[in-house]
């Protein structure tokens, strides 16, 4: 009996060890962006070499299962990769990571989306967005005595509508890159996609442009900038940030700054390291934004569409909303041996209540 008990005890310990190792392995699972970028590498190399993406995946990545799944069904792969693994102690969690958060993790859009509310744009033409009317009294908890009525304050609700828009991002790079090793090409492609995607999305999201039939309104549309404090230094910094914080009623206060403003702010006031500062290139120099990240709402479609071309004529951006095809300079991808990678992705953003959720100051003196 002692030997049998010892065997049972050993088996039990092995079972617990196996479960622990499995959970640890899940926590250390490969980041989904690796497979997504590698799928782009496979498609690009296959396009140049007149091969198939699956053949390139087998040659470059040894038939990596994640890469194969990303090539076959990118939307399904992103959905499965974003869902947290469940254990016997876990409860299903709502929400999912969008493709833009994966491809451009350092963008302001990705940082706010991770902190705010996410909605799915799959198969919808609009998403109703209810919000509390700030003009109405807030609900308040009380402690009535036994048999006394529970006080109820009138709750005002309002609503807005989020519409999906098609983000279109075009990245151009030399076809010679694909001749380098897979590791080098993957690193370069990852950086190019992340930089171009973050710049394009953040610039549009943090603008003051009104909504059009093709693009959502910038978060700063209709927001009157607060006056910047003169004099510079720590005094101006503290007054500007204090005024921004006081201007909004935030459950999750976040500051958005350019890299230069962030470095200056932390140099002048090292204690700001305790505050949440999101770095972005989508703001003009000298501008700082305060936003209630809890009020931010974002949505994305299931998966982007990728197209490659080495024969297209690309019209250079001349700074106008729509390039003048008659006068703007052009680039022949075929003539210059370049590749154009075009991404189309359904995306939207907004605030559950713009009033009291965002404020900005321009031309700071610190």
């Amino acid at each position: 009996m002692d030997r049998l008990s010892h065997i049972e005890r050993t088996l039990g310990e092995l079972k617990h060890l196996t479960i622990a190792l499995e959970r640890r392995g899940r926590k250390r699972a490969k980041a989904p962006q690796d497979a997504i970028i590698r799928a782009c590498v496979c498609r690009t190399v296959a396009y140049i070499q007149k091969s198939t993406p699956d053949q390139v995946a087998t040659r470059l990545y040894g038939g990596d299962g994640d890469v194969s799944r990303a090539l076959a069904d990118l939307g399904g792969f992103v959905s499965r990769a974003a869902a947290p693994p469940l254990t016997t102690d876990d409860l299903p969690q709502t929400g999912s990571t969008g493709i833009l958060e994966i491809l451009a993790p350092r963008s302001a859009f990705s940082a706010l989306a991770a902190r705010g509310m996410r909605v799915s744009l799959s198969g919808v033409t609009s998403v109703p967005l209810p919000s509390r009317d700030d003009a109405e009294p807030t609900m308040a908890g009380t402690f009535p005595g036994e048999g006394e009525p529970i006080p109820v304050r009138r709750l005002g609700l309002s609503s807005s509508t989020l519409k999906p828009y098609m983000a279109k991002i075009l990245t151009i790079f030399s076809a010679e890159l694909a001749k380098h090793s897979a590791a080098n090409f993957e690193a370069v492609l990852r950086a190019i996609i992340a930089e171009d995607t973050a710049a394009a999305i953040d610039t549009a999201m943090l603008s003051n442009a009104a909504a059009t039939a093709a693009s959502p309104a910038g978060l700063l549309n209709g927001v009157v900038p607060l006056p910047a404090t003169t004099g510079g230094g720590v005094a101006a910094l503290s007054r500007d940030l204090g005024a921004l914080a006081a201007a909004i009623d935030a459950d999750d206060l976040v500051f958005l700054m350019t890299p230069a403003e962030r470095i200056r702010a932390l140099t002048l006031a090292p204690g700001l390291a305790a505050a949440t500062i999101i770095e972005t290139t989508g703001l003009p120099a000298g501008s700082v934004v305060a936003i209630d990240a809890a009020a931010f709402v974002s949505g994305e479609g299931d998966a982007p569409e990728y197209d490659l071309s080495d024969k297209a004529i690309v019209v250079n951006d001349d700074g106008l909303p729509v390039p003048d095809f008659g006068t703007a300079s052009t680039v022949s991808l075929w003539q210059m041996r370049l590749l154009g990678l075009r991404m189309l992705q359904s995306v939207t953003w907004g605030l559950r209540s713009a009033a009291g959720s965002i404020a900005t100051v321009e031309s700071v003196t610190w």
Side-chain angles (χ1 to χ4, degrees), residues 36 74-75 78-79 82 95-105 107-114 117-124 127 162-167 169 197 201 205 296-306 343-350:
I36 294 171
L74 183 57
V78 172
S79 299
S96 61
T97 302
I99 187 70
L100 295 178
E101 293 178 66
I102 293 174
L103 293 180
S107 65
F109 174 87
S110 299
L112 290 174
M117 178 189 298
R118 282 188 283 247
V119 296
S120 174
L121 300 181
S122 177
V124 301
V127 180
L162 284 181
K163 293 173 53 181
Y165 295 87
M166 188 63 69
I169 300 169
T197 303
I201 296 297
M205 183 184 72
F296 182 77
V297 184
S298 64
E300 292 188 50
D302 287 339
E305 299 177 29
Y306 282 107
M343 183 183 78
L344 309 178
Q345 169 68 342
S346 179
V347 64
T348 193
W349 57 72

Side-chain angles (χ1 to χ4, degrees), residues 87-343:
T87 67
T88 55
D89 300 325
D90 291 329
L91 293 175
Q93 299 183 22
T94 59
S96 61
T97 302
I99 187 70
L100 295 178
E101 293 178 66
I102 293 174
L103 293 180
R106 294 182 61 83
S107 65
F109 174 87
S110 299
L112 290 174
R115 304 175 77 97
M117 178 189 298
R118 282 188 283 247
V119 296
S120 174
L121 300 181
S122 177
V124 301
T125 57
S126 64
V127 180
L129 194 62
S131 61
R132 177 174 294 177
D133 188 349
D134 291 335
E136 299 294 342
T138 58
M139 301 296 288
T142 57
F143 300 90
E146 184 175 355
E148 296 179 356
I150 301 174
V152 178
R153 291 182 178 178
R154 182 163 56 93
L155 178 64
L157 294 176
S158 59
S159 65
S160 57
T161 302
L162 284 181
K163 293 173 53 181
Y165 295 87
M166 188 63 69
K168 303 171 184 179
I169 300 169
L170 180 60
T171 296
I172 298 176
F173 52 92
S174 170
E176 298 297 327
L177 288 174
K179 292 185 176 181
H180 292 271
S181 68
N184 291 340
F185 183 40
E186 179 184 326
V188 172
L189 192 61
R190 183 193 302 271
I192 290 174
I193 291 176
E195 291 167 1
D196 288 358
T197 303
I201 296 297
D202 282 4
T203 300
M205 183 184 72
L206 297 176
S207 74
N208 59 5
T212 67
S215 63
L219 294 180
L220 294 174
N221 177 244
V223 177
V224 179
L226 302 177
T229 304
T230 60
V234 178
L237 170 64
S238 62
R239 289 194 182 97
D240 284 345
L241 297 190
L244 287 171
I248 63 176
D249 181 16
D251 293 324
D252 184 9
L253 177 62
V254 169
F255 293 104
L256 304 177
M257 301 181 185
T258 67
E261 263 73 53
R262 178 177 175 272
I263 290 297
R264 281 199 294 270
L266 292 175
T267 301
L268 289 170
L272 280 176
T276 302
I277 301 176
I278 296 175
E279 190 176 290
T280 177
T281 59
L283 286 172
S287 294
V288 178
V289 171
I291 187 171
D292 179 12
F296 182 77
V297 184
S298 64
E300 292 188 50
D302 287 339
E305 299 177 29
Y306 282 107
D307 293 304
L308 280 163
S309 175
D310 60 351
K311 299 177 177 62
I313 301 296
V314 177
V315 180
N316 292 322
D317 184 4
D318 55 6
L320 298 175
V322 178
D324 186 343
F325 288 88
T327 60
S329 61
T330 59
V331 173
S332 169
L333 300 185
W334 178 83
Q335 185 178 16
M336 300 188 69
R337 190 162 171 72
L338 300 174
L339 280 175
L341 175 63
R342 184 181 66 184
M343 183 183 78

